[in-house]
Amino acid sequence: PELHFLKEGKPVTPIIKHFFDKRDTFDYEIDGIVFRADSVKEQERLGETAHHPKGAVAFKFQGDSAQAKLVDVEWSVGRSGMITPVAIVTPVFVSGATVTRASLHNVGIFRNLGLKKDSLVEIVRRGGVIPHVERVLSSSGEAYHVPKRCPSCGNDVIEDGDFLRCAEPDKCTKSLVGRLGH
């Protein structure tokens, strides 16, 4: 894409709008833009955190959204033993892809959504990439609950704030397979 140079005090909104409007014309997908200090000296002055440089800031575009019916909630066990809720939804086309699974991220978000069987949910592909359940539009039926046992090995689970994990990941099949794959 074209390069734009900002002068101090100039608003970035027109540049964001420009790239948002043109993103469908590029030969590749973009999910946002990064504004960066032009001068290396200024980048050094601003410094960095453990996560990112302070001389750059990313602006992510809001993904498209669509409505889907919640079919089920699946509990995925990762290589570290973390257990994450995943929404299984009726197929819906969002931001150029058919979505059948959407992230619920963690137990805290899962609980805040208050999902019930047959809920109608809004799906957003955050940054045009990751399908996410944004909100519940309507719901009826029985509520989904947090598992008390690991869905892979049946061992106890440990809940730590918003996170859930298998109490014995070294004996958990999905955790071990995940580590091997990694």
Side-chain angles (χ1 to χ4, degrees):
E2 311 150 27
L3 294 177
H4 290 271
F5 297 98
L6 297 174
K7 300 291 182 215
E8 190 173 324
K10 191 168 184 168
V12 297
T13 307
I15 294 169
I16 293 169
K17 182 173 177 2
H18 169 80
F19 280 99
F20 181 82
D21 291 344
K22 289 189 73 169
R23 70 182 179 157
D24 290 337
T25 67
F26 300 143
D27 292 337
Y28 45 86
E29 287 189 35
I30 64 170
D31 65 350
I33 54 179
V34 175
F35 293 96
R36 176 174 211 106
D38 192 30
S39 155
V40 173
K41 191 177 229 178
E42 182 65 6
Q43 292 172 18
E44 290 170 352
R45 185 190 73 77
L46 291 167
E48 57 188 60
T49 69
H51 181 263
H52 62 275
K54 291 182 180 178
V57 63
F59 179 86
K60 297 285 188 174
F61 299 131
Q62 174 65 42
D64 294 332
S65 68
Q67 296 178 6
K69 183 179 172 188
L70 181 66
V71 175
D72 200 3
V73 173
E74 190 176 276
W75 295 87
S76 174
V77 182
R79 69 179 189 269
S80 67
M82 293 299 285
I83 303 170
T84 308
V86 178
I88 310 302
V89 298
T90 54
V92 62
F93 194 74
V94 185
S95 299
T98 300
V99 172
T100 58
R101 301 168 60 85
S103 179
L104 295 168
H105 299 287
N106 62 50
V107 172
I109 291 172
F110 168 81
R111 282 198 173 110
N112 287 339
L113 287 169
L115 296 168
K116 295 181 178 178
K117 292 183 167 103
D118 298 325
S119 290
L120 182 64
V121 296
E122 179 180 24
I123 304 291
V124 173
R125 286 187 66 205
R126 289 219 170 147
V129 181
I130 309 224
H132 162 81
V133 174
E134 190 69 28
R135 63 189 173 117
V136 176
L137 302 169
S138 66
S139 63
S140 61
E142 189 179 328
Y144 285 99
H145 298 285
V146 175
K148 299 202 181 310
R149 317 235 9 102
C150 175
S152 171
C153 65
N155 282 310
D156 290 337
V157 296
I158 297 169
E159 195 167 337
D160 183 15
D162 287 341
F163 302 98
L164 190 68
R165 63 182 168 83
C166 177
E168 297 191 58
D170 292 336
K171 297 179 181 176
C172 181
T173 304
K174 285 193 177 179
S175 178
L176 292 169
V177 169
R179 277 188 251 168
L180 268 174
H182 180 71

